[in-house]
Amino acid sequence: MNPFLCTRPWLVLVFLPILWLHSCQSERDESRKIQAWILDGWVKVDSLNPILLPTDTAVFMCPLTKSAINWQTRNVLNPAAVVRNDSVFLFFRAQDQNGTSRIGLAISTDGLHFKKEAIPVVFPEADTMNVFEWNYKKRLGLKPEPGCTTCLFDGTEDPRIISTDDGRYVMTYTAYDGKTARLCVATSSDLTHWKKEGLAFKDDKYKNMWSKSGAIIGKVQPNGQVVATRVDGTYWMYFGDTDLFIAQSDDLISWKICERAESGEKIRVLSARPGYFDSRLVEPGPYALLRDQGILLIYNASNAANFSDPSLPKFTYAAGQALFNKSKPYQLIDRTPQYFIHPDKTYEKTGEVNEVCFVEGLVFLKQRWFLYYGTADSRIGVAIK
Ligand SMILES: *[C@@H]1O[C@H](CO)[C@@H](O)[C@H](O)[C@H]1NC(C)=O
Ligand SMILES: *[C@@H]1O[C@H](CO)[C@@H](O)[C@H](O)[C@H]1NC(C)=O
Ligand SMILES: *[C@@H]1O[C@H](CO)[C@@H](O)[C@H](O)[C@H]1NC(C)=O
Ligand SMILES: *[C@@H]1O[C@H](CO)[C@@H](O)[C@H](O)[C@H]1NC(C)=O
Ligand SMILES: CC(=O)N[C@H]1CO[C@H](CO)[C@@H](O)[C@@H]1O
């Protein structure tokens, strides 16, 4: 025993409570620090949801089939959102009856009531990307398997959009040819006319790899725009739909996947966790936000069939949040133990894919946050805080 305490045992009585109080205080500080970075308190706008629906009355002349088609018949889902001119521009994925996806645009001044533009803004056409965006069976004149209702799926899917500091917009989207999903990039200066810039990963090693869901790191401006921001001299993008991987770029168009030097393997910055809502897979949501506490990424996750979160049906898509080091975007600092949004409404639980809230759009408009998500791969909902 400490001789000091032996000679003055009463001191223990004085100091112990102080030590105890001190340790409780620092535990509280710790948990407050961990909670402080999370964007929580979201409320689904039940009185209006779902805010965007499929329709049989949107007709568009397909440049490939040269026929008028109803391009929004089957599903309207997975939207990106950006603020421009005090309005929300929502870019949704619309599927026609056969499951071809095209990216459409809807505009709102209050973030809740949207008006769709008549024709899609990014879609399969006779260009250099056609080989990645038009089902290979259609190109080869093959018939889909009898009775298969998803075998002709193809097109341009699941956009994410960010502003640049020179006033342009960069979209990442998925091109799907019925076999392989590939992450692609398009750019625009007015949000209506888009130029396809090709595959995000042009290296031979990765150009035929399955890739999806590119969330670029940016910073929220006072006018609500989120502008792509360099960290440590370069742009960064989280991507992937099993684990989260990360890539770097100098121009936001051509991306280089970060690999382990020893093995050439893609580095994983976030993975599925047995026992949690994200036990099956993780996939980025909207752009990642560079904030004081770190880089905040809202991510989508699927619950596994076993060794999963027993409070959710298996394969449920619910969303969580992760925080990465703001000077090292590949270093995970913290992640939420629980989902903050999950399917609990009929239109979230039943649809093209059941049990899905898939978050892809996030904007800050007139001092409020709006979160847009696909419901059951069929419609679109909004939550606010
Ligand atoms: C769906 O596919 C069928 C058979 O190929 C075709 O006749 C029809 O025009 C297609 N519909 C749309 C909306 O593309
Ligand atoms: C900005 O939005 C207003 C409606 O809120 C509209 O009248 C105006 O044309 C828009 N301007 C541009 C440049 O889009
Ligand atoms: C998952 O759990 C079910 C029910 O307990 C069991 O039948 C099945 O074998 C398990 N599967 C795996 C891969 O562990
Ligand atoms: C983030 O990285 C920096 C630079 O390496 C380091 O000093 C800092 O402690 C890290 N932050 C956290 C929260 O881990
Ligand atoms: C690879 C994969 O399964 N991605 C899916 C992620 O979740 C959304 C929402 O259900 C689907 O649309 C994607 O296909």
Side-chain angles (χ1 to χ4, degrees):
M1 157 105 51
N2 183 325
F4 178 76
L5 286 180
C6 283
T7 51
R8 294 172 207 189
W10 53 270
L11 265 177
V12 174
L13 294 177
V14 174
F15 278 116
L16 264 184
I18 293 173
L19 279 173
W20 178 77
L21 272 177
H22 177 77
S23 83
C24 283
Q25 187 58 43
S26 58
E27 252 167 51
R28 264 202 302 276
D29 286 348
E30 194 59 28
S31 78
R32 206 177 298 127
K33 194 178 80 207
I34 288 171
Q35 296 305 319
W37 64 268
I38 299 172
L39 275 183
D40 61 4
W42 294 101
V43 179
K44 291 178 183 171
V45 185
D46 291 338
S47 59
L48 294 175
N49 280 337
I51 56 163
L52 231 55
L53 305 176
T55 170
D56 279 329
T57 59
V59 178
F60 149 84
M61 189 59 73
C62 173
L64 292 168
T65 61
K66 310 260 191 286
S67 58
I69 54 146
N70 279 305
W71 61 286
Q72 300 178 26
T73 316
R74 184 165 174 149
N75 297 302
V76 163
L77 68 156
N78 298 5
V82 297
V83 171
R84 175 182 166 88
N85 184 24
D86 282 333
S87 299
V88 178
F89 287 67
L90 195 72
F91 293 83
F92 57 90
R93 166 180 170 194
Q95 279 183 311
D96 68 22
Q97 197 51 52
N98 293 340
T100 295
S101 291
R102 298 176 180 85
I103 297 171
L105 169 59
I107 303 172
S108 166
T109 51
D110 66 1
L112 299 172
H113 300 85
F114 282 87
K115 190 170 177 312
K116 287 176 184 164
E117 301 283 293
I119 59 168
V121 293
V122 178
F123 49 88
E125 49 189 319
D127 56 20
T128 54
M129 296 306 286
N130 183 254
V131 60
F132 305 117
E133 297 174 354
W134 200 237
N135 196 295
Y136 72 99
K137 294 195 188 80
K138 292 192 281 194
R139 278 190 279 111
L140 299 175
L142 303 173
K143 290 258 168 297
E145 292 75 354
C148 178
T149 59
T150 58
C151 290
L152 286 181
F153 273 29
D154 60 4
T156 54
E157 308 176 349
D158 301 351
R160 275 99 175 148
I161 300 175
I162 198 160
S163 307
T164 66
D165 53 16
D166 60 359
R168 289 173 309 132
Y169 300 89
V170 174
M171 174 192 291
T172 60
Y173 69 95
T174 303
Y176 187 53
D177 64 0
K179 217 187 269 177
T180 304
R182 292 177 179 85
L183 193 61
C184 296
V185 178
T187 56
S188 174
S189 51
D190 62 6
L191 290 174
T192 302
H193 302 92
W194 289 89
K195 176 175 178 242
K196 292 181 187 172
E197 303 278 3
L199 302 177
F201 309 125
K202 295 180 177 70
D203 294 2
D204 280 347
K205 179 171 174 186
Y206 291 119
K207 68 181 186 202
N208 292 318
M209 175 187 75
W210 178 281
S211 59
K212 271 192 170 193
S213 297
I216 296 171
I217 298 177
K219 218 169 171 174
V220 188
Q221 309 300 307
N223 67 0
Q225 270 199 320
V226 176
V227 175
T229 307
R230 291 175 191 266
V231 173
D232 198 15
T234 186
Y235 295 113
W236 301 81
M237 173 174 74
Y238 300 100
F239 72 98
D241 62 357
T242 52
D243 304 81
L244 293 197
F245 305 100
I246 194 165
Q248 297 175 314
S249 174
D250 278 327
D251 59 5
L252 297 165
I253 290 172
S254 296
W255 292 86
K256 202 170 158 19
I257 295 179
C258 302
E259 299 174 335
R260 284 176 188 277
E262 318 80 58
S263 61
E265 259 183 286
K266 304 192 291 299
I267 63 163
R268 284 159 219 263
V269 299
L270 189 87
S271 294
R273 287 177 295 190
Y276 292 81
F277 70 100
D278 49 9
S279 40
R280 178 163 159 256
L281 61 82
V282 293
E283 177 170 353
Y287 33 51
L289 298 179
L290 180 60
R291 309 176 85 209
D292 290 344
Q293 307 97 324
I295 297 160
L296 177 108
L297 180 73
I298 292 181
Y299 67 95
N300 297 290
S302 174
N303 198 31
N306 288 15
F307 313 115
S308 53
D309 180 339
S311 75
L312 295 173
K314 66 178 175 183
F315 308 147
T316 293
Y317 274 87
Q321 301 182 29
L323 188 73
F324 295 90
N325 189 320
K326 64 179 175 183
S327 54
K328 289 191 248 168
Y330 42 87
Q331 183 181 62
L332 181 68
I333 295 174
D334 197 9
R335 65 199 285 192
T336 51
Q338 267 287 357
Y339 49 85
F340 69 95
I341 189 167
H342 75 288
D344 60 359
K345 304 293 187 305
T346 313
Y347 54 86
E348 297 167 344
K349 296 177 80 64
T350 312
E352 181 79 46
V353 178
N354 292 343
E355 306 289 354
V356 176
C357 284
F358 194 84
V359 177
E360 250 187 78
L362 171 69
V363 296
F364 190 63
L365 176 76
K366 299 167 188 163
Q367 302 309 309
R368 295 203 85 148
W369 288 96
F370 295 75
L371 191 66
Y372 301 97
Y373 54 98
T375 64
D377 276 18
S378 303
R379 291 154 190 242
I380 289 173
V382 62
I384 57 177
K385 74 176 242 106

